[in-house]
Amino acid sequence: MISYFPAIYPDELVYSWLCRYYVHSGFFSSKSAMQELYCKRSDNPSKEFIGNLNPGTMEQIAKIYSPDKLVLEHTMYPQYARFIPLEQKNTALYRLGHDNCDVHHLFCVLPRSEGEQYLRFCPLCAEDDRKTYGEAYWHRKHQIRNMSICTKHRCRLVESNVPAKSEQSFTFCPAEHCIVYDETVFEEDQLMVRYAMYLESVFDAPIDFNKDIPVSSILYDGLSQTKYLKPSGRSRYTKMLADDLKVFYREMGLYNIVSMYQIQRVLLGSRSDFSVVCQVAFFLGMKSEELTSPTLTLEQIQQEQDSHYMKETAPVDWVQLDTNTAPILERFVQSVYDGTANENGRPERVSERLVYREMGLLGHQLENMPRCRAIFERYTESYPESWARKIIWAYQRLRVQGKPFYWSDIRMISGVKKKNFHSIIPYLQLHTDAETVNQIVALIE
Ligand SMILES: [Zn+2]
């Protein structure tokens, strides 16, 4: 039976609150407290969310705080769910408050890099909290990704030795026990202070559960009028943006600078990570309100959505493509036909497949290109006709050498099979003089 839950402090993590419950209720060990609070022995406390609390615990908690309030004000939900689509946001809010589910199914949780492995604290906040409440606690805002300073005291946050990951940690680590006196280092870099304030204001802003404006549209709006978006609005210069952004944040000494790939995925709408969005928006000079209460019109959203598909649906100028391709195609098919394209000089049959492949055309495109089509048709021939030309070529080549030769020699260098010999005879006269025709036929017979 749950004895009593202390009041939860402003911006306190649910984890921190449960740690204090454990301390105040006089349990012998974390383990026994956990057995009382959670469903299964294998359940570990969640650092950033609520965890798999059993129905009895949930019932007790619901008497003092609503699940929505806990999720919105005492978990990292405002970071992870801030920019996800509306429906997903509602689902995540409900499921985090009512049933235990793997948060990775609700939104993307980026892996932790160096500097983000442990719960962080502000030495001055800990001091203040001890004065005001009689104990220290774990603050949510100190755990925001890439948050390196306390915005209230403008000093650097300190890493504790309590892992920020929930996995494989089966103990309660109350802040009061884990936060030891630490030297206070004030942040000198004003830009870093501004960045931290920015993260905080985005994190703290009320979450809009009515409008569903994709964050890709919001950033697209921020990109307009910058050199990172073509004036036509069709192309984003993501590489340039990623390069400039990297230089900017590296000088600031940020832990975790977003990659071009991450930026690209957010700009194209397939992801909406808090730290990626904030880094891009702050770099572009967007106000935090532009992110948290955007005022885009439906037309603006549509324009951005359409720009994802510009490349694929851009209409092809067939006349232009036909005109530009024709001379190239002519040279190419001629060289195939007369054999100059071939290493050994042997003429070849010009096939439609070869033309499509060499010209990089897509299925049936030749039908929209009359000039190219005409060129292709001029060189089109049947297989027997192309064999006839190969045999004439082989015959002439052997004759030039001035040595006696036989039918087998012609067969070998022309590549024409014996069973096809007779089918070529009618075509010989189309490509050579009567004298040569007679000599070739004499060789075959
Ligand atoms: Zn502080």
Side-chain angles (χ1 to χ4, degrees):
M1 183 63 207
I2 306 247
S3 46
Y4 116 101
F5 272 105
I8 195 162
Y9 298 133
D11 196 49
E12 183 177 22
L13 281 172
V14 166
Y15 171 75
S16 171
W17 182 48
L18 296 176
C19 288
R20 291 192 298 112
Y21 166 79
Y22 150 65
V23 173
H24 295 300
S25 302
F27 285 100
F28 290 120
S29 65
S30 286
K31 205 167 189 171
S32 50
M34 272 178 231
Q35 274 172 23
E36 192 187 280
L37 294 168
Y38 297 96
C39 288
K40 303 187 300 283
R41 291 178 90 84
S42 57
D43 290 328
N44 52 300
S46 167
K47 299 275 168 51
E48 296 188 296
F49 302 98
I50 290 179
N52 196 19
L53 298 174
N54 62 44
T57 311
M58 299 280 270
E59 207 177 295
Q60 289 299 314
I61 290 177
K63 285 179 187 165
I64 36 178
Y65 302 115
S66 75
D68 284 2
K69 182 183 163 72
L70 282 185
V71 174
L72 289 168
E73 297 174 22
H74 299 282
T75 72
M76 297 309 285
Y77 175 87
Q79 170 180 262
Y80 293 106
R82 170 67 58 182
F83 300 116
I84 62 178
L86 184 57
E87 202 188 323
Q88 212 181 321
K89 218 183 260 178
N90 279 313
T91 306
L93 177 62
Y94 181 84
R95 298 199 64 186
L96 288 174
H98 295 85
D99 60 38
N100 178 58
C101 74
D102 186 345
V103 294
H104 294 87
H105 297 155
L106 301 175
F107 33 63
C108 166
V109 178
L110 291 176
R112 293 177 178 278
S113 58
E114 202 191 326
E116 299 182 333
Q117 301 288 341
Y118 298 95
L119 291 182
R120 291 188 293 257
F121 66 92
C122 160
L124 296 180
C125 281
E127 212 176 291
D128 283 358
D129 295 340
R130 281 171 177 148
K131 270 185 214 145
T132 315
Y133 304 106
E135 60 189 333
Y137 64 92
W138 298 115
H139 290 241
R140 278 191 314 167
K141 278 182 230 167
H142 299 161
Q143 320 309 330
I144 297 171
R145 300 292 182 100
N146 262 325
M147 182 65 102
S148 61
I149 64 171
C150 167
T151 51
K152 187 178 168 195
H153 297 103
R154 305 209 168 185
C155 62
R156 299 236 174 104
L157 295 173
V158 180
E159 269 196 322
S160 69
N161 51 15
V162 180
K165 271 191 190 167
S166 305
E167 292 80 13
Q168 275 117 39
S169 63
F170 291 91
T171 46
F172 281 125
C173 302
E176 183 55 30
H177 298 178
C178 299
I179 294 177
V180 283
Y181 170 78
D182 212 286
E183 193 192 350
T184 308
V185 181
F186 290 95
E187 181 60 61
E188 300 285 327
D189 183 354
Q190 287 314 299
L191 197 58
M192 191 57 124
V193 174
R194 272 183 48 218
Y195 186 63
M197 305 281 247
Y198 192 82
L199 292 178
E200 182 186 43
S201 60
V202 176
F203 185 84
D204 270 348
I207 293 177
D208 190 339
F209 286 101
N210 297 307
K211 277 195 254 168
D212 193 15
I213 300 183
V215 74
S216 58
S217 299
I218 298 168
L219 293 177
Y220 182 82
D221 187 49
L223 281 174
S224 64
Q225 317 297 325
T226 71
K227 61 177 176 173
Y228 306 112
L229 189 69
K230 237 185 187 170
S232 67
R234 288 181 181 210
S235 305
R236 302 154 179 77
Y237 297 113
T238 316
K239 169 116 180 40
M240 192 187 3
L241 173 63
D243 289 346
D244 292 355
L245 185 144
K246 193 180 234 168
V247 172
F248 178 78
Y249 286 114
R250 196 181 276 153
E251 277 174 16
M252 250 170 78
L254 211 64
Y255 286 130
N256 203 352
I257 302 171
V258 295
S259 67
M260 180 176 105
Y261 181 55
Q262 289 178 306
I263 296 175
Q264 199 159 37
R265 288 197 300 185
V266 168
L267 293 185
L268 292 178
S270 64
R271 288 280 283 273
S272 47
D273 312 291
F274 184 89
S275 62
V276 181
V277 173
C278 288
Q279 277 184 43
V280 173
F282 182 77
F283 172 74
L284 292 174
M286 295 174 73
K287 293 199 186 81
S288 65
E289 303 83 66
E290 289 179 69
L291 291 180
T292 55
S293 52
T295 53
L296 300 184
T297 62
L298 281 174
E299 287 72 26
Q300 285 174 300
I301 296 169
Q302 194 56 50
Q303 194 199 351
E304 183 268 333
Q305 298 284 303
D306 290 347
S307 75
H308 297 187
Y309 310 103
M310 273 324 174
K311 272 209 181 104
E312 289 81 0
T313 57
V316 176
D317 185 343
W318 291 109
V319 176
Q320 194 62 48
L321 187 63
D322 193 19
T323 311
N324 295 346
T325 312
I328 306 165
L329 181 69
E330 175 87 53
R331 277 198 300 277
F332 170 68
V333 292
Q334 196 190 334
S335 66
V336 171
Y337 186 85
D338 66 21
T340 48
N342 217 335
E343 240 175 80
N344 59 15
R346 188 175 72 193
E348 296 289 342
R349 181 172 171 269
V350 176
S351 73
E352 197 163 341
R353 226 176 86 193
L354 185 71
V355 168
Y356 272 89
R357 198 183 64 202
E358 286 297 320
M359 295 286 109
L361 298 172
L362 301 172
H364 305 293
Q365 284 189 339
L366 217 49
E367 284 158 28
N368 298 323
M369 301 160 77
R371 287 181 63 179
C372 290
R373 182 89 222 163
I375 294 165
F376 169 67
E377 276 164 8
R378 206 150 21 87
Y379 287 93
T380 306
E381 62 187 344
S382 65
Y383 279 105
E385 187 168 357
S386 72
W387 296 329
R389 290 194 304 111
K390 285 180 187 179
I391 283 172
I392 295 165
W393 166 80
Y395 173 81
Q396 286 166 342
R397 217 177 111 166
L398 289 164
R399 261 195 57 178
V400 170
Q401 289 172 0
K403 290 182 225 155
F405 60 93
Y406 303 95
W407 180 237
S408 55
D409 298 314
I410 292 185
R411 192 184 66 204
M412 200 140 72
I413 64 168
S414 71
V416 178
K417 288 180 181 137
K418 195 175 176 186
K419 63 171 183 177
N420 294 322
F421 289 164
H422 284 279
S423 68
I424 66 154
I425 295 172
Y427 296 98
L428 290 171
Q429 54 177 331
L430 298 176
H431 297 281
T432 189
D433 54 274
E435 170 77 29
T436 312
V437 173
N438 288 338
Q439 284 168 355
I440 292 174
V441 172
L443 268 168
I444 293 172
E445 295 294 319

